[in-house]
Amino acid sequence: MQCRNLIGKLEELAPRRLACDWDNPGLLAGWEDRKIHRVLVALDATDVVVEQAVREQADMLLTHHPMIFKPLKQINDQSFTGRRLLDLIGNGISCYAMHTNFDIAPGCMADLAAERLGLIDGVPLEVTGEEDGKPVGIGKVGLLREPVTLKKLAQQVKEAFGIPFVTVYGMETGEGPVSRVAISPGSGGSMLRHGIAAGAQVLVTGDIGHHEGIDAVADHMAVIDAGHYGLEHIFIPFIKDYLEQVSGGELEVITAAPAFPAVTV
């Protein structure tokens, strides 16, 4: 499949116009007119992932998080981003990212996460625009099918996303049932106010600091921090399945191994 045709399929799923203004999705490095036979899907373009792309002779590295966020003044081996770009380009590997456009697009990150958690009657947590006459945005807020305790919900999050541990802010507030829950995969500090405004009893997200957590509890919303990777790694199997379906057998799709950046010891 030609690279530009593959990009067309990816943008049918998650149009770049949906991305936040500060974001940088799309073809970050590579050649639109080259043939793509093998794609490696990962959450981040880490050294290990780039090494895998080279070792397994991928033609494209497709990630959720963009390897390039800000303009680069130099591309050389004096920075880890420069080294990764040199390795990819030197081995003929294109690099493509689907970030907040994937977070926002209908049927993608927000919907996938809400579905895994079993939320019903979900609406966007932060509305960023409209698609086909319906609001779209970051995260979801909705109702659990059955109210549960915060402790039980934390266990359900671990099971639903296959993660080893979560951090809970607000466990001491009581054993009462919770039913209205918000979920926002990724870094959720900026989503706290949206969860509180939406009347969520709990926000499930990642990258919450000490003060953010205790302040949210003071505003009567508990927080389950499941980690940035912990919630967003669902991108990998979903995109693998999507590419296999839309490529008509033209693409071989491989994935990066699970790589939780933080573990309990």
Side-chain angles (χ1 to χ4, degrees), residues 139-162:
K140 287 279 183 176
V141 59
L143 299 174
L144 296 173
R145 295 185 184 278
E146 294 183 4
V148 297
T149 64
L150 181 58
K151 184 176 182 180
K152 177 62 175 176
L153 179 59
Q155 185 62 37
Q156 289 178 354
V157 170
K158 289 167 60 178
E159 293 172 357
F161 290 89

Side-chain angles (χ1 to χ4, degrees), residues 192-248:
L192 293 168
R193 61 186 177 89
H194 294 287
I196 293 166
Q201 294 167 280
V202 186
L203 171 64
V204 182
T205 189
D207 294 349
I208 296 299
H210 167 77
H211 294 289
E212 292 172 320
I214 63 174
D215 288 350
V217 173
D219 267 326
H220 312 292
M221 184 180 72
V223 179
I224 297 175
D225 186 339
H228 201 126
Y229 184 95
L231 296 177
E232 289 194 330
H233 69 89
I234 60 176
F235 168 85
I236 298 172
F238 178 82
I239 289 296
K240 181 180 190 297
D241 289 346
Y242 175 78
L243 289 179
E244 290 174 342
Q245 290 170 13
V246 301
S247 68

Side-chain angles (χ1 to χ4, degrees), residues 96-192:
Y96 190 90
M98 306 170 72
H99 193 210
T100 53
N101 52 321
F102 184 83
D103 290 337
I104 292 168
C108 293
M109 188 71 84
D111 288 330
L112 292 172
E115 181 181 353
R116 282 214 181 195
L117 200 55
L119 295 186
I120 57 175
D121 300 327
V123 295
L125 183 58
E126 179 190 5
V127 175
T128 59
E130 192 174 274
E131 192 75 358
D132 296 327
K134 297 181 180 180
V136 295
I138 303 290
K140 287 279 183 176
V141 59
L143 299 174
L144 296 173
R145 295 185 184 278
E146 294 183 4
V148 297
T149 64
L150 181 58
K151 184 176 182 180
K152 177 62 175 176
L153 179 59
Q155 185 62 37
Q156 289 178 354
V157 170
K158 289 167 60 178
E159 293 172 357
F161 290 89
I163 52 182
F165 67 93
V166 297
T167 300
V168 181
Y169 294 91
M171 190 71 82
E172 74 286 352
T173 58
E175 289 296 316
V178 297
S179 57
R180 187 164 177 79
V181 176
I183 186 164
S184 183
S187 185
S190 64
M191 303 305 293
L192 293 168

